[in-house]
């Protein structure tokens, strides 16, 4: 099993030797390897069982370091980086030859971000290479928000998990790219679209893709619990399943017809950041209960509610 701890020196040695490790970020925990080492990058895909057509995000500790492996840095990208880095924002930028096609799945752009976590920033500052790091979970399953989640899923496959406590944002980063002068949100995430538009003006939003995604995390089916998750129309679910075999995931209220112990309320105060922080952990808790199906409600389509709904939709079997 993996060692769990806070020994950055040990983690640096492992990464320099081409190993992959679990690292904390404010969004979710990542499975990290040397982004300039093709063998380490291939190991990431292998450990996660992730298809190689799904590109990886490259993590670094400063805009100056990011500039060393991108070909250019558009003005709007700089404005967003200055506003939101370190933080849950990923930028798609033209890549330099320093970044392997394995990392970008053959695309001409590389996904880059600076995570807002003190341990990981300290680690990144100590390295002479950036880290490729998708979420530290088996491909398609719920993303991890604690070191224990990583250990439970990948502990037998990796040597070390850097323990930085519970992720404070709890959902993945927002991904923004550029088509000419236009900014495009390719993945909803921890920075609300409204906040991005407050810096650079109106943006387009692109839905997920079933194949050949332009950015990490765009595949339609993702973040899924093992138990089937359905959205909406609770009466139809109650016709098919006993109430004590149904779990529920709601924004700010309990559901009358389902036992309280089978319910998870994301934020009783209807606070979007709190709901985002709890989303994956509560999905994981429901998945571990002796139930047969999960009923989920969507949040209002505003603020981080958009990103939370995106994850719920992609975790769902279908909307009924």
């Amino acid at each position: 099993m993996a060692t769990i701890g806070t020994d950055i020196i040990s983690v640096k040695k492992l990464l320099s030797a081409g190993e992959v490790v679990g690292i904390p970020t404010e969004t979710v925990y990542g499975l990290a390897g040397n982004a300039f080492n093709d063998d380490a990058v291939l190991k990431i895909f292998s450990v996660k069982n992730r298809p190689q057509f799904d590109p990886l995000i490259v993590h670094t500790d400063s805009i100056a370091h990011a500039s060393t492996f991108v070909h250019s840095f558009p003005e709007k990208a700089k404005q967003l980086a200055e506003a939101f880095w370190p933080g849950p924002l990923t930028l798609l930028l033209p890549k330099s030859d320093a970044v392997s096609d394995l990392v970008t799945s053959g695309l001409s752009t590389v996904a880059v971000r600076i995570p807002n976590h003190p341990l990981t920033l300290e680690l990144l500052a100590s390295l002479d290479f950036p880290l490729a790091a998708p979420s530290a979970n088996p491909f398609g399953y719920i993303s991890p928000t604690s070191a224990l989640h990583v250990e439970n899923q990948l502990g037998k496959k990796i040597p070390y998990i850097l323990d930085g406590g519970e992720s404070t944002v709890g959902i993945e980063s927002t991904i923004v790219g550029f088509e000419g002068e236009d900014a495009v949100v390719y993945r909803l995430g921890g920075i609300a679209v409204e906040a991005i538009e407050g810096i650079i003006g109106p943006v387009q939003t692109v839905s997920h893709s079933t194949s050949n995604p332009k950015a990490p995390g765009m595949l339609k089916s993702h973040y899924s619990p093992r138990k089937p998750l359905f959205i909406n129309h609770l009466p139809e679910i109650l016709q098919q399943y006993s109430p004590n075999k149904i779990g529920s995931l709601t924004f700010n209220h309990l559901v009358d017809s389902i036992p309280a112990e089978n319910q998870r309320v994301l934020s009783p105060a209807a606070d979007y950041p709190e709901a985002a922080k709890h989303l994956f952990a509560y999905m994981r808790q429901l998945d571990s209960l002796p139930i047969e199906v999960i009923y989920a409600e969507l949040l209002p389509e505003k603020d981080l509610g958009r990103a939370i709904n995106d994850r719920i939709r992609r975790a769902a079997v279908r909307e009924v």
Side-chain angles (χ1 to χ4, degrees), residues 39 48 74 84 87 98 114 129 142 154 158 233 260 263 303 305 311:
D39 289 337
K48 276 183 63 74
F84 299 117
I114 300 176
F129 50 83
I142 303 165
L154 300 179
I158 59 178
H233 294 193
Q263 301 197 49
D303 200 82
R311 303 308 190 273

Short mmCIF file of all heavy atoms in Angstrom, two decimals, residues 39 48 74 84 87 98 114 129 142 154 158 233 260 263 303 305 311:
data_model
loop_
_atom_site.label_atom_id
_atom_site.label_comp_id
_atom_site.label_asym_id
_atom_site.label_seq_id
_atom_site.Cartn_x
_atom_site.Cartn_y
_atom_site.Cartn_z
N ASP A 39 7.71 8.10 -19.95
CA ASP A 39 7.41 6.87 -19.21
C ASP A 39 6.52 7.16 -18.00
O ASP A 39 5.60 6.39 -17.68
CB ASP A 39 8.71 6.19 -18.74
CG ASP A 39 9.50 5.59 -19.89
OD1 ASP A 39 8.89 5.30 -20.94
OD2 ASP A 39 10.72 5.41 -19.74
N LYS A 48 -4.47 4.87 -13.89
CA LYS A 48 -5.86 5.32 -13.91
C LYS A 48 -6.74 4.49 -14.84
O LYS A 48 -7.97 4.57 -14.77
CB LYS A 48 -5.95 6.78 -14.37
CG LYS A 48 -5.72 7.81 -13.30
CD LYS A 48 -5.91 9.22 -13.85
CE LYS A 48 -7.31 9.50 -14.35
NZ LYS A 48 -8.29 9.67 -13.25
N PRO A 74 -1.71 34.36 -24.68
CA PRO A 74 -2.60 35.43 -25.14
C PRO A 74 -2.95 36.41 -24.02
O PRO A 74 -2.94 36.05 -22.84
CB PRO A 74 -3.85 34.67 -25.60
CG PRO A 74 -3.37 33.29 -25.90
CD PRO A 74 -2.25 33.02 -24.94
N PHE A 84 -6.75 34.70 -11.22
CA PHE A 84 -7.21 33.46 -10.58
C PHE A 84 -6.12 32.45 -10.24
O PHE A 84 -6.43 31.40 -9.66
CB PHE A 84 -8.26 32.78 -11.48
CG PHE A 84 -9.49 33.61 -11.71
CD1 PHE A 84 -9.83 34.04 -12.98
CD2 PHE A 84 -10.30 33.99 -10.65
CE1 PHE A 84 -10.97 34.80 -13.20
CE2 PHE A 84 -11.44 34.76 -10.85
CZ PHE A 84 -11.77 35.17 -12.14
N GLY A 87 -5.16 28.87 -8.28
CA GLY A 87 -6.59 28.66 -8.10
C GLY A 87 -7.15 27.68 -9.10
O GLY A 87 -6.44 27.13 -9.95
N ALA A 98 8.64 21.30 -25.66
CA ALA A 98 9.03 20.68 -24.38
C ALA A 98 7.94 19.73 -23.87
O ALA A 98 8.23 18.82 -23.10
CB ALA A 98 9.31 21.76 -23.34
N ILE A 114 -1.97 26.56 -12.04
CA ILE A 114 -1.20 26.67 -10.80
C ILE A 114 -2.16 26.36 -9.66
O ILE A 114 -3.09 27.13 -9.40
CB ILE A 114 -0.60 28.08 -10.62
CG1 ILE A 114 0.34 28.40 -11.78
CG2 ILE A 114 0.15 28.16 -9.29
CD1 ILE A 114 0.91 29.82 -11.73
N PHE A 129 10.83 20.41 -13.18
CA PHE A 129 9.89 20.01 -14.23
C PHE A 129 8.47 20.19 -13.69
O PHE A 129 8.24 20.13 -12.48
CB PHE A 129 10.11 18.56 -14.65
CG PHE A 129 10.17 17.57 -13.50
CD1 PHE A 129 9.00 17.04 -12.92
CD2 PHE A 129 11.40 17.15 -12.99
CE1 PHE A 129 9.07 16.14 -11.88
CE2 PHE A 129 11.47 16.25 -11.93
CZ PHE A 129 10.31 15.75 -11.37
N ILE A 142 -15.76 8.51 -9.24
CA ILE A 142 -15.86 9.78 -8.51
C ILE A 142 -14.46 10.30 -8.16
O ILE A 142 -13.61 9.55 -7.69
CB ILE A 142 -16.68 9.58 -7.22
CG1 ILE A 142 -18.06 9.01 -7.55
CG2 ILE A 142 -16.82 10.89 -6.45
CD1 ILE A 142 -18.79 8.45 -6.33
N LEU A 154 -6.36 3.74 -5.32
CA LEU A 154 -5.10 3.54 -6.06
C LEU A 154 -3.94 3.17 -5.15
O LEU A 154 -2.80 3.09 -5.62
CB LEU A 154 -4.74 4.81 -6.83
CG LEU A 154 -5.75 5.30 -7.88
CD1 LEU A 154 -5.23 6.58 -8.53
CD2 LEU A 154 -6.03 4.24 -8.93
N ILE A 158 0.46 2.89 -6.33
CA ILE A 158 1.38 4.01 -6.25
C ILE A 158 2.14 3.96 -4.92
O ILE A 158 1.63 3.43 -3.94
CB ILE A 158 0.67 5.37 -6.43
CG1 ILE A 158 -0.40 5.58 -5.35
CG2 ILE A 158 0.04 5.46 -7.81
CD1 ILE A 158 -1.10 6.94 -5.44
N HIS A 233 -37.75 13.35 -11.21
CA HIS A 233 -38.91 12.46 -11.23
C HIS A 233 -38.82 11.36 -10.19
O HIS A 233 -38.87 10.17 -10.49
CB HIS A 233 -39.09 11.85 -12.63
CG HIS A 233 -39.46 12.87 -13.66
ND1 HIS A 233 -39.93 12.55 -14.90
CD2 HIS A 233 -39.43 14.24 -13.63
CE1 HIS A 233 -40.17 13.64 -15.60
NE2 HIS A 233 -39.87 14.69 -14.84
N ALA A 260 -33.81 9.25 6.27
CA ALA A 260 -32.83 10.32 6.46
C ALA A 260 -31.40 9.82 6.36
O ALA A 260 -30.51 10.52 5.85
CB ALA A 260 -33.06 11.00 7.81
N GLN A 263 -29.78 9.97 2.96
CA GLN A 263 -29.80 11.25 2.27
C GLN A 263 -28.53 12.06 2.56
O GLN A 263 -27.99 11.99 3.66
CB GLN A 263 -31.03 12.07 2.69
CG GLN A 263 -32.35 11.37 2.39
CD GLN A 263 -33.51 12.33 2.41
OE1 GLN A 263 -33.46 13.40 1.79
NE2 GLN A 263 -34.56 11.96 3.12
N ASP A 303 -23.84 30.55 -10.89
CA ASP A 303 -22.67 30.45 -10.03
C ASP A 303 -22.05 29.05 -10.18
O ASP A 303 -21.99 28.52 -11.29
CB ASP A 303 -23.07 30.75 -8.57
CG ASP A 303 -21.89 31.15 -7.71
OD1 ASP A 303 -21.49 32.33 -7.74
OD2 ASP A 303 -21.36 30.27 -7.01
N GLY A 305 -23.31 26.39 -9.30
CA GLY A 305 -24.37 25.42 -9.58
C GLY A 305 -24.25 24.82 -10.97
O GLY A 305 -24.55 23.64 -11.18
N ARG A 311 -21.31 17.92 -13.27
CA ARG A 311 -20.79 16.66 -12.71
C ARG A 311 -21.92 15.68 -12.43
O ARG A 311 -21.78 14.47 -12.66
CB ARG A 311 -20.01 16.93 -11.41
CG ARG A 311 -18.85 17.91 -11.54
CD ARG A 311 -17.89 17.54 -12.67
NE ARG A 311 -16.69 18.34 -12.63
CZ ARG A 311 -16.54 19.53 -13.20
NH1 ARG A 311 -17.54 20.09 -13.85
NH2 ARG A 311 -15.39 20.18 -13.13
#
